[in-house]
């Protein structure tokens, strides 16, 4: 044996000299500004990370500066058993780079998942906006979307109760437009100066960094109890919107009022919405909690797998347009981000479609380095005077300069616009572009006074002309002062199961609060919204409400709207079933015919069947043929699926009936209000409940029944209300 240990020869087979010459194919960033812009503009329509993609296939392993490495397994040492030598530059470079792999995570929204896609408008919106990407239904605009939770750290679980972030970067030909929104249409505070306090309160408590990814703790509810303006968004977070089934099955909202400006300079107020083609679905609370352990990456995996399977997530862009002179007609202020504009008053007009059709090539380079900012707007879109939006315009690029290390993060592949970039900003850390012009200022004669301004008529950005007047003062507008009418509208618009869940969620969260005074203060706020709500939570917490609290006058309608079905997740009972996942429990002896019928019927409906067995090897069917299981019962609990099927087969049924994991699979699905189908003698596995979601019969009957039940999402009649919530 040679002096050193052999390296892993299969993996490290040395390259021939000829191939080795090609070793440095990890293309360095383009050097000339114009070349970079041109190559990006001309290449695929992707938001072009493609120009920066590096494939190692067939290439030699090198240092960062291109020296080919012959041994990547052993440090340079003095003798076989001696200490390592300082001169081992291969080790020093490798370790130093590794030591600095992590960058600061986002202060909030640290946990997230991204995807590439395209956006296309249905028709020209020139009547409202001159934004180029909203003119031509033939034009496809590349997008990158990052979904996130707010509270937890980068490694926190996906299915905690929290608001979901929804940031979309449109790479338009006129520059990047970032729509940085959430899955709720309102926010917790009205003024940006309160944001650090709010975030400190909701983040894990400072002394022990508990709890992870959730708001069920004293400091959050202490803050809420003292800040009635938080209540509306808190109601949304305590509803099933706080535990979505999938990023593909939730709505998105820009929250703030923005402006759209057309070529004539006319501006209108607008609120942005995303509506998912897959319909709205949420988890049930117990399921969400189990998932944090069984699959902490549940949403990330769901998004990734859907795109890999060709079930491209789709969302329609919706606009609520409000003529500027009609804004004052509402009995709330549309600049107030804690208020929504009921769809019953201003319908959402669906104007375009976004399709997410490509997973990132590299999580860090794309999803982690993506930098969104509400200040990134394009001609045709402008801000409103919403005091929360105004603060966001500063905060995002400020935090990104810290997080991504300096001012040049816009040159990172994921953040670069697809249009040319020319200006006199220079230098700074990690500058990629080599500006070769003689002049780095303007006006200049040395470079012919290039780059030059573009007049608004030719596409240059000009801020919307807004009449502004007033005395500078630190004062909240009286039009922001009412805090209970909107939470009440939200409450009254919920279906019964949703109301039960809201009561349950408040009860759970406040149950984790140690200080009684905080619980009582929150209950007092709830008494301003609705006495049933307050009574339900109070009784779960074992707190007596006072007569005054129970009979307190509650606010009236919001601009005449008492209930709005669009605020409910479940008011519409039927929804899309495509891309859902159904488990089929099988063991040796399972009916081949039934398996075939169930799988093919599900697949025809776009539903994905997964065969689970006592082990993940092949299962022998009753006709002697085998089928490969997709997984075993113990590693694949029913929380990972939307419904469960148990095919017949005498021998198979006997094995399943004796298998604790299989029985648990069925029992949990039943507890989580999912549809379950049992073919023939597999009926003996059925839980002792009788409702529309327990389907028995032939393979054909069970397949049809299950698809119908899936469209209804959950079997709400099966839900056993908590006793005290029931009393409410
Ligand atoms: Fe953010 N927010 N935010 N936020 N926010 C950040 O920017 C901030 C607010 C939202 O996937 C940070 O790059 C302030 C509302 C999303 O990368 C930071 C205020 C809404 C994301 C920041 C708000 C959001 C962020 C942290 C009050 C919904 C994740 C890291 C004035 C409309 C974007 C970063 C991504 C991220 C500041 C309020 C959504 C600190 C100051 C309202 C989806 O800059």
């Amino acid at each position: 044996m040679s002096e050193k240990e052999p390296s892993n020869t299969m993996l490290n087979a040395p390259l021939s000299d000829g191939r080795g010459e090609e070793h440095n194919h990890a293309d360095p960033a383009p050097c000339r500004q114009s070349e970079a812009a041109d190559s990006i503009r001309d290449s695929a329509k992707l938001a072009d990370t493609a120009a920066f993609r590096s494939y190692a296939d067939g290439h030699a392993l090198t240092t960062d500066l291109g020296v080919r490495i012959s041994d990547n397994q052993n440090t340079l040492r003095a003798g076989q058993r001696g200490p390592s030598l300082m001169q081992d530059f291969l080790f020093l470079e490798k370790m130093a780079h590794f030591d600095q792999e992590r960058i600061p995570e986002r202060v909030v929204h640290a946990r997230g998942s991204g995807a590439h896609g395209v956006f296309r408008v249905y028709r020209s919106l020139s009547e409202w906006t001159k934004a180029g990407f909203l003119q031509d239904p033939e034009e496809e605009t590349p997008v990158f979307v990052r979904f996130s939770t707010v509270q937890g750290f980068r490694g926190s679980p996906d299915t905690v109760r929290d608001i979901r972030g929804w940031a979309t970067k449109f790479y338009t030909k006129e520059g990047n437009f970032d729509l940085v929104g959430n899955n709720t249409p309102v926010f917790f505070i009205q003024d940006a100066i309160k944001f650090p306090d709010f975030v400190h309160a909701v983040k894990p408590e400072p002394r022990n960094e508990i709890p992870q990814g959730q708001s069920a703790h004293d400091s959050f509810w202490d803050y809420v109890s003292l800040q009635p303006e938080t209540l509306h968004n808190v109601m949304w977070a305590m509803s099933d919107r706080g535990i979505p089934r999938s990023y593909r099955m939730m709505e998105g909202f820009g929250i703030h009022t923005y402006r759209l400006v057309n070529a004539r300079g006319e501006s209108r107020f607008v609120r942005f919405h995303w509506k998912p083609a897959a319909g709205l679905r949420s988890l049930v609370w117990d399921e969400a909690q189990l998932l944090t352990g069984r699959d902490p990456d549940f949403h990330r995996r769901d998004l990734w797998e859907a795109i890999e399977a060709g079930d491209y997530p789709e969302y329609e862009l919706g606009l609520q347009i409000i003529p500027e002179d009609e804004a004052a007609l509402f009995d709330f202020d549309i600049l107030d981000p804690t208020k929504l504009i009921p769809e019953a008053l201003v319908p959402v007009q669906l104007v375009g479609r976004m399709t997410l059709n490509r997973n990132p090539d590299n999580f860090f380079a794309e999803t982690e380095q993506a930098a969104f900012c509400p200040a990134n707007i394009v001609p045709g879109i402008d801000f409103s005077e919403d005091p929360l939006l105004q603060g966001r315009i500063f905060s995002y690029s400020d935090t990104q300069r810290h997080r991504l290390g300096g001012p040049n993060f816009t040159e990172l592949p994921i953040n670069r616009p697809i249009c040319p970039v020319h200006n006199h900003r220079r230098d700074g850390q990690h500058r990629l572009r080599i500006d070769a012009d003689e002049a780095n200022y303007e006006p200049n004669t040395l470079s012919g006074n290039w780059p030059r301004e573009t007049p608004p008529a030719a596409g240059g950005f000009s801020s919307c002309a807004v009449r502004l007047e007033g005395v500078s003062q630190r004062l909240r507008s009286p039009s922001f002062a009412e805090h209970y009418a909107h939470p009440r509208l939200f409450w009254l618009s919920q279906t019964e199961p949703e109301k039960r869940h809201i009561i349950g969620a408040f009860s759970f969260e406040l149950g984790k609060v140690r200080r009684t005074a905080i619980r009582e203060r929150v209950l007092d706020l709830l008494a301003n919204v609705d006495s049933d709500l307050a009574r339900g939570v109070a009784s779960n917490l074992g707190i007596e409400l006072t007569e005054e609290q129970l009979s307190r006058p509650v606010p009236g309608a919001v601009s005449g709207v008492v209930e709005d079905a669009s605020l409910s997740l479940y008011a519409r009972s039927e929804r899309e079933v495509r891309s859902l996942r159904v488990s089929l429990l099988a063991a040796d002896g399972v009916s081949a015919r039934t398996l075939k019928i169930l799988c093919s019927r599900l697949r025809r409906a776009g539903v994905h069947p997964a065969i689970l067995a006592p082990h993940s090897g092949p299962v022998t069917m009753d006709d002697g043929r085998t089928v490969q299981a997709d997984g075993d019962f113990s590693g694949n609990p029913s929380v990972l699926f939307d419904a469960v099927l148990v095919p017949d087969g005498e021998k198979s049924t006997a094995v399943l009936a004796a298998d604790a994991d299989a029985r648990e699979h069925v029992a949990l699905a039943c507890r989580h209000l999912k549809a379950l189908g049992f073919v023939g003698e597999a009926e003996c596995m059925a839980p002792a409940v009788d409702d529309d979601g327990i389907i028995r019969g032939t393979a054909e009957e069970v397949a049809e029944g299950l698809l119908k039940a899936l469209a209804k999402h959950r079997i709400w009649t099966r839900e056993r209300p908590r006793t005290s919530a029931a009393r409410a």
Side-chain angles (χ1 to χ4, degrees):
M1 200 192 271
S2 66
E3 200 188 354
K4 64 180 185 174
E5 281 291 284
S7 47
N8 181 337
T9 45
M10 284 298 284
L11 293 175
N12 271 337
L15 298 173
S16 72
D17 285 344
R19 292 175 75 196
E21 278 168 18
E22 301 167 14
H23 67 278
N24 202 8
H25 270 234
D27 293 335
C31 291
R32 291 185 64 95
Q33 181 175 343
S34 54
E35 273 173 26
D38 290 348
S39 78
I40 290 204
R41 196 175 50 239
D42 295 342
S43 57
K45 281 199 265 165
L46 307 171
D48 213 349
T49 50
F52 293 82
R53 233 174 263 152
S54 161
Y55 294 100
D57 193 18
H59 294 288
L61 181 72
T62 73
T63 66
D64 282 345
L65 295 169
V67 175
R68 279 171 282 160
I69 295 170
S70 65
D71 183 345
N72 195 33
Q73 313 301 324
N74 297 287
T75 44
L76 186 64
R77 291 195 294 271
Q80 268 187 353
R81 303 179 60 247
S84 301
L85 299 179
M86 258 310 259
Q87 70 190 53
D88 187 357
F89 70 98
L90 297 177
F91 166 75
L92 296 183
E93 183 201 84
K94 182 178 180 182
M95 194 52 72
H97 196 284
F98 171 76
D99 289 344
Q100 302 197 26
E101 277 182 4
R102 292 292 170 273
I103 59 173
E105 64 174 35
R106 290 163 174 84
V107 191
V108 277
H109 297 268
R111 168 76 185 173
S113 307
H116 293 271
V118 289
F119 172 79
R120 206 191 268 256
V121 76
Y122 291 147
R123 59 183 170 85
S124 170
L125 304 183
S126 60
E127 174 197 351
W128 299 324
T129 175
K130 61 185 174 189
F133 78 109
L134 297 175
Q135 305 301 316
D136 181 1
E138 296 302 310
E139 182 176 329
E140 227 169 42
T141 300
V143 298
F144 184 74
V145 172
R146 181 173 178 273
F147 300 109
S148 49
T149 54
V150 177
Q151 199 261 22
F153 296 114
R154 196 180 143 185
S156 56
D158 280 342
T159 57
V160 292
R161 178 178 297 284
D162 198 355
I163 301 298
R164 298 304 183 283
W166 180 324
T168 307
K169 191 180 286 297
F170 297 82
Y171 302 87
T172 89
K173 289 178 180 158
E174 298 174 303
N176 288 354
F177 166 50
D178 291 352
L179 182 55
V180 195
N182 280 348
N183 75 331
T184 59
V186 289
F187 199 66
F188 296 97
I189 47 172
Q190 295 175 322
D191 191 308
I193 202 167
K194 298 164 83 87
F195 190 68
D197 297 299
F198 163 72
V199 171
H200 288 171
V202 71
K203 279 276 188 183
E205 300 211 350
R207 285 190 308 160
N208 53 17
E209 228 175 53
I210 296 176
Q212 187 58 226
Q214 49 200 294
S215 52
H217 57 103
D218 282 44
S219 64
F220 176 70
W221 288 99
D222 184 34
Y223 186 82
V224 168
S225 72
L226 302 169
Q227 295 289 307
E229 73 201 61
T230 60
L231 199 56
H232 191 196
N233 206 170
V234 167
M235 294 281 293
W236 283 76
M238 294 304 115
S239 79
D240 289 357
R241 306 260 180 174
I243 42 171
R245 152 70 177 82
S246 156
Y247 291 137
R248 304 178 291 120
M249 299 168 192
M250 60 186 199
E251 287 178 299
F253 305 87
I255 299 190
H256 312 281
T257 298
Y258 286 82
R259 282 188 167 89
L260 291 182
V261 186
N262 66 18
R264 292 189 294 279
E266 296 159 350
S267 94
R268 291 169 176 78
F269 287 126
V270 63
R271 288 223 174 166
F272 294 102
H273 295 245
W274 289 114
K275 302 274 185 190
L280 301 178
R281 287 177 187 265
S282 280
L283 300 170
V284 295
W285 179 227
D286 182 62
E287 184 186 22
Q289 292 180 87
L290 292 179
L291 274 167
T292 62
R294 296 309 292 251
D295 188 2
D297 304 305
F298 186 68
H299 287 152
R300 177 175 289 183
R301 193 188 309 283
D302 171 90
L303 181 66
W304 180 275
E305 288 182 352
I307 293 175
E308 292 299 299
D311 288 330
Y312 296 144
E314 289 191 325
Y315 312 86
E316 290 188 288
L317 179 68
L319 304 180
Q320 280 180 303
I321 303 278
I322 305 105
E324 293 219 4
D325 54 2
E326 289 179 20
L329 300 180
F330 301 105
D331 60 16
F332 55 93
D333 195 329
I334 68 162
L335 298 183
D336 177 352
T338 66
K339 310 292 190 303
L340 55 85
I341 303 177
E343 292 188 28
L345 288 180
V346 181
V348 173
Q349 307 191 48
L350 300 174
V351 298
R353 181 172 290 255
M354 174 167 76
T355 307
L356 301 182
N357 55 13
R358 182 162 66 87
N359 277 316
D361 293 300
N362 182 287
F363 184 90
F364 178 83
E366 301 178 81
T367 310
E368 192 60 12
Q369 293 200 121
F372 298 90
C373 178
N376 297 346
I377 54 172
V378 289
I381 298 175
D382 216 326
F383 311 120
S384 73
E385 294 73 60
D386 174 341
L388 195 71
L389 173 59
Q390 297 272 320
R392 295 180 74 203
I393 292 166
F394 162 72
S395 177
Y396 289 67
S397 45
D398 184 49
T399 199
Q400 279 143 17
R401 281 186 284 269
H402 162 64
R403 187 170 73 83
L404 298 168
N408 290 317
F409 62 88
T410 52
E411 292 186 295
L412 292 169
I414 194 67
N415 296 325
R416 301 172 64 92
I418 57 167
C419 57
V421 174
H422 300 283
N423 56 40
H424 297 110
R425 321 234 202 294
R426 289 291 185 273
D427 309 343
Q429 290 194 16
H430 317 304
R431 184 63 159 183
L432 296 186
R433 200 163 68 208
I434 299 179
D435 295 295
D437 307 297
E438 285 208 49
N440 55 3
Y441 55 91
E442 71 110 4
N444 72 66
T445 58
L446 302 191
S447 300
N449 203 29
W450 292 106
R452 297 179 193 172
E453 294 164 347
T454 308
F461 185 88
S462 72
S463 291
C464 178
V466 180
R467 176 178 297 280
L468 299 171
E469 53 188 287
V471 179
S472 60
Q473 54 188 331
R474 292 185 185 275
L475 202 66
R476 198 77 54 86
S477 166
S479 57
F480 281 36
E482 201 287 321
H483 301 307
Y484 304 109
H486 271 74
R488 181 164 174 78
L489 168 64
F490 181 72
W491 170 254
L492 294 178
S493 303
Q494 304 302 303
T495 57
E496 282 310 311
E498 289 170 286
K499 284 185 175 168
R500 285 201 296 270
H501 300 170
I502 292 171
I503 290 176
F506 271 107
S507 308
F508 175 91
E509 298 256 326
L510 291 172
K512 300 279 179 187
V513 168
R514 284 169 289 126
R515 294 168 175 85
T516 313
I518 298 176
R519 298 179 184 185
E520 288 173 348
R521 284 202 302 270
V522 175
L523 280 173
D524 195 58
L525 290 183
L526 295 182
N528 292 331
V529 175
D530 187 273
S531 58
D532 283 348
L533 168 63
R535 200 184 303 118
V537 180
S539 115
N540 284 339
L541 295 174
I543 295 178
E544 287 278 322
L545 292 178
T546 64
E547 272 312 307
E548 184 280 321
Q549 285 172 320
L550 287 170
S551 55
R552 196 178 285 172
V554 284
V558 171
S559 282
V561 181
V562 179
E563 275 182 48
D564 187 333
S566 70
L567 301 178
S568 158
L569 279 175
Y570 308 133
R572 189 192 300 173
S573 62
E574 301 286 307
R575 66 207 75 220
E576 183 59 71
V577 298
R578 257 183 312 129
S579 86
L580 296 181
R581 306 179 70 222
V582 174
S583 59
L584 286 92
L585 308 191
D588 287 346
V590 65
S591 161
R593 179 181 174 277
T594 299
L595 262 192
K596 190 171 166 208
I597 292 171
L598 295 178
C599 288
S600 66
R601 183 63 192 97
L602 292 181
R603 288 201 182 100
R604 249 190 297 140
V607 174
H608 302 291
I611 298 175
L612 303 182
H615 49 71
S616 44
V619 174
T620 306
M621 298 182 286
D622 62 355
D623 63 358
R625 290 180 304 142
T626 59
V627 60
Q628 177 61 43
D630 296 296
D632 62 10
F633 305 138
S634 68
N636 295 276
S638 62
V639 287
L640 303 178
F641 300 91
D642 297 286
V644 175
L645 283 173
V646 190
D648 50 345
E650 239 171 74
K651 225 174 107 197
S652 169
T653 307
V655 174
L656 297 183
D659 187 306
D661 288 326
R663 290 202 310 271
E664 168 88 346
H665 194 96
V666 168
L668 267 188
C670 179
R671 186 159 110 207
H672 297 148
L673 318 177
K674 294 176 182 175
L676 297 111
F678 302 89
V679 180
E681 64 266 8
E683 191 183 348
C684 68
M685 290 283 290
V689 289
D690 203 11
D691 59 39
D692 292 352
I694 308 291
I695 303 136
R696 305 169 173 89
T698 64
E700 290 83 354
E701 288 163 351
V702 167
E704 291 314 316
L706 191 94
L707 287 172
K708 274 203 196 107
L710 266 180
K712 295 206 163 69
H713 182 46
R714 304 273 173 177
I715 314 303
W716 297 121
T717 50
R718 193 187 298 156
E719 190 168 34
R720 267 181 301 131
R722 281 183 64 169
T723 41
S724 41
R727 278 202 299 274

